């Protein structure tokens, strides 16, 4: 791809937007009020807005390798703080995807330098669910399951933050765990039972 192509694409996009609404960019300048915080993988094939069919202004997006929410990551914590406590989103979504390179790398024994501490977070998920994963013989199925369990654990990490805990008390905030399937394009709701998980984890992680 010629990088200059991006600028002609941008001109075409501006023209298309203005054709349907002359005031499109004036409206875009107004305060943002997204109702969803989307935490997804940086994978170039999993384009958040496009797969959800949403428009600019609809979703606050945060992406990193393997859709992680480590509590020591200032970037992830700042995004949650801003989206939940300031923008007051109604939904927090952690969206993983099958064929995730980050999850795959964490399953393999390899020294990946700077990526080691990041992928260690996924290895911790593996250790936490070793019994469940150990029962799955098929490698492809195990890989899929780890993608799902990683989504679940990152949702739990989001719930551990003071911002989400405070919001749970004050208003109707929901946390969702989703998985995108590259093979079919389908978005799947893992329908994680957060009431149950919440009860279990709050015993340990309650902040007040
Ligand atoms: Co990925």
């Amino acid at each position: 791809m010629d990088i200059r192509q991006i600028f002609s694409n941008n001109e075409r996009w501006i023209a298309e937007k203005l054709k349907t609404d002359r005031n499109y960019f004036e409206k875009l300048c107004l305060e943002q009020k997204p109702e969803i915080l989307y935490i997804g993988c940086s994978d170039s094939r999993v384009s958040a807005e496009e797969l959800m069919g949403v428009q600019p202004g609809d979703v606050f997006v945060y992406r990193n390798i393997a859709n992680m929410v480590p509590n020591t990551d200032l970037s992830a914590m700042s995004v949650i703080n801003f989206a939940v406590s300031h923008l007051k989103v109604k939904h927090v979504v952690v969206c993983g995807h099958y064929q995730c390179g980050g999850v795959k790398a964490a399953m393999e024994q390899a020294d990946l330098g700077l990526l080691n501490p990041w992928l260690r977070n996924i290895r911790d998920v593996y250790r936490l669910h070793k019994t469940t994963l150990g029962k799955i013989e098929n490698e492809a199925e195990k890989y899929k399951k780890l993608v799902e369990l990683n989504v679940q654990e990152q949702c739990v990490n989001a719930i551990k933050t003071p911002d989400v805990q405070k919001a749970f008390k004050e208003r109707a905030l929901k946390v969702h765990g989703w998985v995108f399937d590259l093979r079919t394009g389908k978005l799947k709701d893992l329908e994680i039972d957060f009431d149950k998980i919440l009860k279990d984890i709050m015993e340990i992680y309650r902040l007040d």
Side-chain angles (χ1 to χ4, degrees):
M1 185 200 242
D2 182 348
I3 197 82
R4 284 167 305 186
Q5 179 72 43
I6 301 282
F7 292 90
S8 41
N9 289 351
N10 172 251
E11 290 299 332
R12 201 175 325 120
W13 176 74
I14 293 169
E16 273 167 23
K17 290 294 177 194
L18 292 177
K19 208 161 79 186
T20 45
D21 184 355
R22 266 183 35 208
N23 303 317
Y24 183 80
F25 293 100
E26 274 91 343
K27 286 179 189 163
L28 212 56
C29 287
L30 302 174
E31 196 189 3
Q32 64 164 335
K33 285 196 181 76
E35 294 194 352
I36 302 170
L37 162 61
Y38 170 98
I39 299 169
C41 184
S42 296
D43 193 306
S44 60
R45 301 162 298 176
V46 189
S47 56
E49 286 93 343
E50 196 177 324
L51 73 92
M52 290 190 283
V54 295
Q55 297 304 315
D58 289 343
V59 182
F60 198 73
V61 173
Y62 176 61
R63 294 167 70 179
N64 62 34
I65 294 173
N67 41 271
M68 305 301 287
V69 187
N71 73 327
T72 50
D73 184 58
L74 185 59
S75 179
M77 293 300 109
S78 304
V79 163
I80 290 179
N81 172 261
F82 185 66
V84 174
S85 297
H86 297 275
L87 294 174
K88 305 219 180 289
V89 294
K90 293 179 178 152
H91 305 274
V92 174
V93 171
V94 176
C95 183
H97 68 104
Y98 298 131
Q99 290 100 36
C100 182
V103 174
K104 179 114 188 146
M107 282 178 81
E108 289 161 357
Q109 287 173 347
D111 184 352
L112 294 163
L114 188 63
L115 278 173
N116 290 335
W118 191 257
L119 298 176
R120 230 271 326 263
N121 295 305
I122 310 174
R123 293 202 168 110
D124 289 344
V125 172
Y126 196 110
R127 183 168 58 85
L128 203 58
H129 296 276
K130 202 166 168 264
T131 321
T132 311
L133 292 163
K135 284 178 192 150
I136 306 169
E137 277 177 32
N138 183 298
E139 275 303 305
E141 286 306 311
K142 192 184 284 188
Y143 179 20
K144 281 175 89 174
K145 188 70 181 173
L146 184 57
V147 165
E148 294 172 4
L149 289 169
N150 185 46
V151 166
Q152 180 180 312
E153 288 307 321
Q154 302 319 313
C155 288
V156 168
N157 281 347
I159 293 171
K160 287 175 192 167
T161 63
D163 300 283
V164 172
Q165 289 191 23
K166 200 162 163 271
F168 271 147
K169 279 189 202 159
E170 294 172 358
R171 57 194 176 89
L173 175 78
K174 280 200 134 176
V175 177
H176 311 263
W178 296 351
V179 172
F180 177 70
D181 192 340
L182 280 175
R183 250 182 268 259
T184 59
K186 241 193 156 41
L187 196 55
K188 183 165 97 177
D189 187 346
L190 294 175
E191 288 172 27
I192 298 165
D193 186 353
F194 284 112
D195 289 338
K196 190 183 169 293
I197 291 176
L198 207 58
K199 242 177 86 192
D200 293 346
I201 68 163
M202 282 316 223
E203 231 180 283
I204 305 165
Y205 295 98
R206 185 183 295 278
L207 292 173
D208 65 0

